[in-house]
Amino acid sequence: MGGNTGYFEFNTVDWNQMWSATWETVWMTVVSIVAVAVLGYFIGLLLFETSGSHNLVVRIINWVVALFVNVFRSIPFIILIVLLLPFTRQMVGTIIGPVAALPSLIISAAPFYGRMVELAFHEIDRGVLEAADAMGANQWQIITKVLLPESLPALISGITVTTISLIGYTAMAGAIGAGGLGNLAYQEGFESSNNTVTLVATVIIVIIVFAFQFVGDFATRKVDKRVV
């Protein structure tokens, strides 16, 4: 194993490979976060709607969903990847590459975001919900006309935080063959003793994080009625 030990020998970087890895990281993040946003929303909504009920069946549903959320939030991501390898192979036919990383990314982040969705719903003024109910709104109208609009700033802020975590997860997944900048930094950087590749991959990941954070903060300010 050979290579340089400097950080600024940019002539040793394969830029086509670097841009390809960047695209893989962005693709994994975007596809995962879309799935996480949908699944997490329904998990959070289910937890919210079944909380505080005196119906035994509803309480059991709440307990089962909460258990699922707590278990998968507790498992370190790198262990979850290994744990889900047989499931991943069955789903996508391989355990290598960006597509193979999606099940682990989604299953790890959806429960996390689901809990944030539930908390966002609980922060809504109960008087608003009671007023909508008194005006004859059905459950679907309460969800779409009250819950979603009132909690939207918190939901966007939550999905932004989740996205940042997912970018870190893609880098960890890359270390075991999922592709992306993490894979490139590990194989072409660490294993080849090329610190420049590692540095460039790190800088690009930081830029991606800043970009998603900027978009998330901008969207939150736009929909937050409290911001003048």
Side-chain angles (χ1 to χ4, degrees):
M1 182 171 64
N4 66 289
T5 57
Y7 284 99
F8 304 104
E9 299 181 29
F10 297 109
N11 60 311
T12 64
V13 178
D14 184 336
W15 293 104
N16 288 330
Q17 195 176 29
M18 186 65 70
W19 302 137
S20 177
T22 300
W23 165 247
E24 287 180 347
T25 294
V26 172
W27 182 85
M28 283 189 287
T29 302
V30 171
V31 173
S32 297
I33 208 61
V34 170
V36 166
V38 174
L39 289 175
Y41 180 81
F42 284 108
I43 290 172
L45 181 62
L46 187 58
L47 286 169
F48 176 77
E49 291 292 340
T50 57
S51 64
S53 174
H54 298 293
N55 185 294
L56 180 60
V57 175
V58 174
R59 289 171 63 184
I60 291 173
I61 292 173
N62 181 270
W63 183 84
V64 170
V65 175
L67 180 65
F68 167 80
V69 168
N70 292 334
V71 166
F72 281 96
R73 285 176 63 205
S74 303
I75 302 174
F77 180 69
I78 197 71
I79 296 175
L80 184 64
I81 294 176
V82 177
L83 186 66
L84 293 177
L85 285 179
F87 173 73
T88 300
R89 191 190 298 275
Q90 287 293 323
M91 274 199 67
V92 300
T94 181
I95 58 173
I96 302 297
V99 175
L102 294 179
S104 298
L105 291 170
I106 294 168
I107 292 173
S108 67
F112 174 76
Y113 183 58
R115 189 63 82 180
M116 298 181 78
V117 171
E118 181 198 11
L119 293 174
F121 288 161
H122 278 298
E123 288 176 0
I124 298 173
D125 187 352
R126 298 296 302 181
V128 176
L129 297 175
E130 290 169 0
D133 187 54
M135 293 173 65
N138 58 37
Q139 196 63 30
W140 174 252
Q141 290 172 327
I142 290 175
I143 291 171
T144 57
K145 304 292 186 180
V146 181
L147 280 179
L148 185 56
E150 291 293 325
S151 63
L152 195 55
L155 295 180
I156 295 175
S157 179
I159 203 65
T160 303
V161 172
T162 307
T163 302
I164 304 308
S165 297
L166 271 174
I167 295 170
Y169 290 165
T170 65
M172 283 189 277
I176 60 170
L181 290 166
N183 182 255
L184 186 69
Y186 181 75
Q187 291 190 343
E188 302 299 326
F190 173 73
E191 289 193 335
S192 300
S193 299
N194 191 331
N195 292 327
T196 305
V197 169
T198 305
L199 175 65
V200 173
T202 302
V203 169
I204 294 175
I205 288 174
V206 171
I207 292 172
I208 293 172
V209 168
F210 281 9
F212 276 104
Q213 186 71 61
F214 174 81
V215 172
D217 290 346
F218 178 80
T220 301
R221 287 195 300 270
K222 280 294 184 182
V223 301
D224 194 343
K225 295 178 290 186
R226 296 168 299 179
V227 177
V228 180

